[in-house]
Amino acid sequence: MEELGGEPAVTLLPEVNSKKKQLCFDWGPGEMLTCETSFNKTAEPEAEPSCPYIYILRKDMDVHSPVLRKLFNESHGIFVGLQRLEEELSGKPRKAQLVRVSKNYRSVVRACMEEMHQAATAAKDPAGSCQFSSQVSILSAVELIWNLCEILFIEVAPAGPLLLHLLDWVQLHACEADSLSADVLGSENPSKHEKFWNLVTILVLQGRLDEARQMLSKEADANPASAAMCRVLGDLMRTMPILSPGNTQTLTELELKWQHWHEECERYLQDGTFAPSPHLSLLCQILLGNEAVILEQKELLGNWYHLMVTQLLYSHPTVKPTELHSYAQSSLDLFLGGESSPEPLDNILMAVFEFDIHQVIKECSIALSNWWFVAHLTDLLDHCQLLQSHSLYFGSNMREFILLEYASGLFAHHSLWQLGVDYFDHCPELGRVSLELHIERIPLNTEQKALKVLRVCEQRGMTEQVRSICKILAMNAVRNNRLGSALSWSIRAKDAAFATLVSDRLLRGYCERGCFSDLDLIDNLGPAMMLSDRLTFLGKYREFHRLYGEKRFVAGASLLLSLMTSQIAPRSFWMTLLTDALPLLEQKQVIFSAEQTYELMRCLEDLTEGRPVCTEPDGLGPQDDDIETTKVEMLRLALARNLARAIIKEGSLEGS
C-alpha cells in the first residue's frame, strides 16, 4: 500500500537513460516487463542498445511482504466463511452476523498492525524501520475507514446510539490519550505533571468523562482550594445525559434532559463558579459545546473528524445519520481553515459521511496500492445488499470486478495464488474464465507445486488445463531422463502421441541395456496401455518377459508371435523380438508349433528382404552389420531345427 496522500514511488532502471532511448513495456498478470528499444531520441545513431536487458517490475509488492501475507491469509478464511454463510443469513440475525464478520476483518488488520509495529521497533536498519512505520500508518487509516463504514453502512446505527459508536470510533483511533495517561499517572504527583491538564482536556474532548472525573479528584486532593470547583464540574460530567445501550428512553426525553443539563452548565459558567481556575472554566466551555473554544484545541484533537464528534457530543447528541455530512464538511473546513487542501483520507471519510459507497470505493482504489481493502469491503457491502444496483458495462458487477483484480494480484505470488483460486470461485460471471487464464501462467517450478495446481484443476473439471499441465510435467520429466514419470504424466494427460514417444524411449533403453527401467509402472499399466499402439506393445512385451521369467514358455511364445503378426510391434523392433524367440527355439521341449515357426520364418524374411531398419540414430557400422548377419544366420538355423522337431512331434501325435 502506498502512503495515503503521497505520490507513487518512482522506480529507476539501472543503466537506462530514458532521455536518449525509448522504452517498451508489457503488463503481465502481476508484473511489467521493460526493456530498451533500438529507437533513439537523439539524432546520433548508436551501434547497439546500451542496455540489452529485460527488467521485471512488480506492480504489487505488498503480496511479497511477510507481515501482509498474514493479513491476506487470515482474511481469506473470513471471506470464504462469509460466502458459506450467505444462504443461512436471513431476517434479523443477518445484520448481527455481518457486523461480526466486519469486526473479524478489523481484528485481522489490527493484529497485522501490531506485528508491523513490533517489526518497526526491532528493525536495525533505519530504512526498514521507516518502511514498517509507514505500513502501520496506512493500516491504521484502513482500519479507521473500515470502522466508520461498519457503523454507517453495516450496523446502520440510528440517532442516539450513532453518537456512541462515533465516540468509540474516535477513542479507538486516538491512542495519544492512553500513552499520555500512563505517563501522567506514573509520575509521583500526577496533578503537578506538566501535561496533566492536557490529559484532562483530551479525555473530555473524547467523551471519556468518567476518566476525566478521576483525574479531577486527584487535582481536588492535591489542591483543596479547587476541590469545590472540581466537585461541581465532576457532578456535571456525571449527570450528562447520554443514550446508553440498555436505556429505553426516547430521543425526545433525552433531548429534554440534555437541554436542562446544558442550561445548568451555562448557569455555573455565568455565575463565575469556575472563574478562579482557567483550566476548569475551559473544560466547562467544552461541555457547553463552545465551537471557538473547542477549535482552539486543534493540537489536542489532532484531526477534523475528532473535532466533529466532540462538537456533536456537546452540541447535538441526537444527530441523525443523514445530518452527518453537513457537520463533517463544516468541521473539515474549520479545521483546515483554508490553509491546506484535504488529503485522500479526508476525501474518503467525507464520502463515507455522504453515504456515497461508490465514491468511497473509487477513492480507496486510487489511494491504496493493492486491492485487499477494496475487495473485502466491497464484498461485505454487497452481502449487505448495498451494491445490487451498480453493474458495469462489460458484463460484471462492481464486486466481481474488484475481486477479480485482487485475485489476479495474488496469482503473482508463488504461494498466495492458492488463495486467489477461492476468490475466482466466488465470481459467478467471469471467475471461471479468469481462473483458467491465470492458472495456465503459474510457473511449475517443482512437481509438488504442479500437483497442487493439478488438484485445483481436477476439482473444478478444467480438462484442458489438466492436460496442459500433465504435458508440461511429462516434457520436464523427459528432459531429466525420468521416463517412467514422463509416461505416467502422458497417460494422465491422455496424450497418445507423447505416450508413444516415451514408449519408444523406454524400448530403446531396453535395447541398449537389456533391461527395463520403471518396471512397477509398466507392470501396472492396466487399461491405460490402450492409449496408443506403442504403449500397448510396451505393456504386452513386458508381459512376455514376465511369462518367460515364470517359465510359462508356451503362453510367452504365443504372445511374442502375436505381437509381430498383429503389427502392434514396430518393425524396427522385430529383430529384438526374434532374438527373444531364440532361447525358446532352443528349448528341449518344442515350444513353437510348425505353423508358428512358419510365421516366424516369414517375419524374418520380411525383415531381411527390405532395407535394414536401424535402431540407432547414426545407423549400423561395419561391425554392427556383421553382428546382424550372424543373428540372422543363427535365427535361420534355430528356426529350421525347430520346424523339423515340430513336424516330427506333430506327425507322431497324428500317427498315434
Side-chain angles (χ1 to χ4, degrees), residues 336-383:
L336 296 180
E339 298 175 1
S340 58
S341 301
E343 299 287 340
L345 177 59
D346 301 328
N347 295 330
I348 294 170
L349 294 177
M350 191 60 66
V352 177
F353 284 123
E354 291 174 357
F355 288 85
D356 190 345
I357 295 176
H358 301 132
Q359 187 64 24
V360 172
I361 294 171
K362 177 182 176 181
E363 294 284 350
C364 291
S365 300
I366 296 171
L368 301 173
S369 66
N370 71 57
W371 293 94
W372 178 88
F373 171 75
V374 180
H376 292 89
L377 180 63
T378 304
D379 174 65
L380 184 56
L381 294 178
D382 186 71
H383 281 87

Side-chain angles (χ1 to χ4, degrees), residues 98-368:
L98 292 172
V99 171
R100 181 178 59 81
V101 170
S102 178
K103 291 183 184 296
N104 288 342
Y105 275 126
R106 290 200 294 115
S107 67
V108 170
V109 175
R110 295 195 72 84
C112 190
M113 282 171 53
E114 180 62 29
E115 189 170 340
M116 197 78 77
H117 179 71
Q118 293 175 0
T121 305
K124 298 178 180 179
D125 178 19
S129 177
C130 181
Q131 183 180 3
F132 283 125
S133 298
S134 175
Q135 292 282 5
V136 169
S137 65
I138 294 168
L139 288 175
S140 178
V142 163
E143 207 266 336
L144 177 78
I145 299 166
W146 192 303
N147 195 352
L148 185 60
C149 291
E150 178 185 302
I151 294 168
L152 298 182
F153 299 152
I154 304 171
E155 195 146 10
V156 196
L162 173 61
L163 184 59
L164 294 178
H165 287 298
L166 291 176
L167 278 173
D168 290 339
W169 174 60
V170 166
Q171 292 170 12
L172 183 63
H173 298 92
C175 306
E176 297 83 1
D178 295 327
S179 58
L180 184 57
S181 177
D183 188 27
V184 170
L185 292 176
S187 62
E188 293 182 5
N189 192 347
S191 63
K192 300 299 181 183
H193 194 281
E194 59 178 353
K195 297 291 182 67
F196 175 79
W197 288 109
N198 280 354
L199 173 60
V200 179
T201 305
I202 291 174
L203 293 173
V204 174
L205 290 171
Q206 291 186 8
R208 298 162 65 171
L209 299 182
D210 289 340
E211 296 173 64
R213 285 171 51 221
Q214 293 175 7
M215 301 304 296
L216 289 178
S217 67
K218 294 185 181 298
E219 166 66 12
D221 293 340
N223 189 0
S226 62
M229 292 184 289
C230 290
R231 184 171 61 254
V232 172
L233 188 60
D235 288 340
L236 289 175
M237 293 179 181
R238 180 177 54 80
T239 58
M240 178 182 175
I242 193 164
L243 192 63
S244 55
N247 204 325
T248 57
Q249 65 182 337
T250 63
L251 289 179
T252 305
E253 292 173 339
L254 176 65
E255 287 178 347
L256 289 173
K257 289 181 179 179
W258 184 85
Q259 188 63 38
H260 176 73
W261 172 84
H262 191 270
E263 291 172 357
E264 186 178 3
C265 293
E266 182 72 31
R267 186 172 60 254
Y268 277 116
L269 188 64
Q270 295 298 329
D271 290 347
T273 304
F274 307 112
S277 173
H279 294 298
L280 296 178
S281 179
L282 173 70
L283 294 177
C284 186
Q285 291 181 72
I286 293 175
L287 293 179
L288 285 168
N290 188 313
E291 185 178 281
V293 173
I294 294 175
L295 190 57
E296 288 175 359
Q297 313 304 315
K298 278 179 63 172
E299 291 187 7
L300 298 180
L301 288 166
N303 49 65
W304 63 268
Y305 45 89
H306 190 177
L307 169 64
M308 181 196 75
V309 174
T310 300
Q311 286 185 320
L312 290 175
L313 175 63
Y314 298 119
S315 301
H316 195 179
T318 56
V319 63
K320 298 176 183 177
T322 53
E323 300 171 338
L324 285 175
H325 171 244
S326 60
Y327 285 103
Q329 189 64 59
S330 173
S331 299
L332 178 60
D333 295 340
L334 282 171
F335 197 84
L336 296 180
E339 298 175 1
S340 58
S341 301
E343 299 287 340
L345 177 59
D346 301 328
N347 295 330
I348 294 170
L349 294 177
M350 191 60 66
V352 177
F353 284 123
E354 291 174 357
F355 288 85
D356 190 345
I357 295 176
H358 301 132
Q359 187 64 24
V360 172
I361 294 171
K362 177 182 176 181
E363 294 284 350
C364 291
S365 300
I366 296 171
L368 301 173

Side-chain angles (χ1 to χ4, degrees), residues 430-450:
L430 303 173
R432 170 72 179 228
V433 176
S434 299
L435 177 58
E436 290 175 353
L437 291 174
H438 281 82
I439 211 157
E440 289 176 348
R441 296 188 176 105
I442 297 177
L444 306 178
N445 312 101
T446 63
E447 191 163 313
Q448 183 181 8
K449 185 175 182 179

Side-chain angles (χ1 to χ4, degrees), residues 24 273 325 398 443 502 587 606 639 643:
C24 67
T273 304
H325 171 244
M398 180 178 286
V502 178
Q587 291 286 331
D606 288 346
L639 286 168
L643 179 60

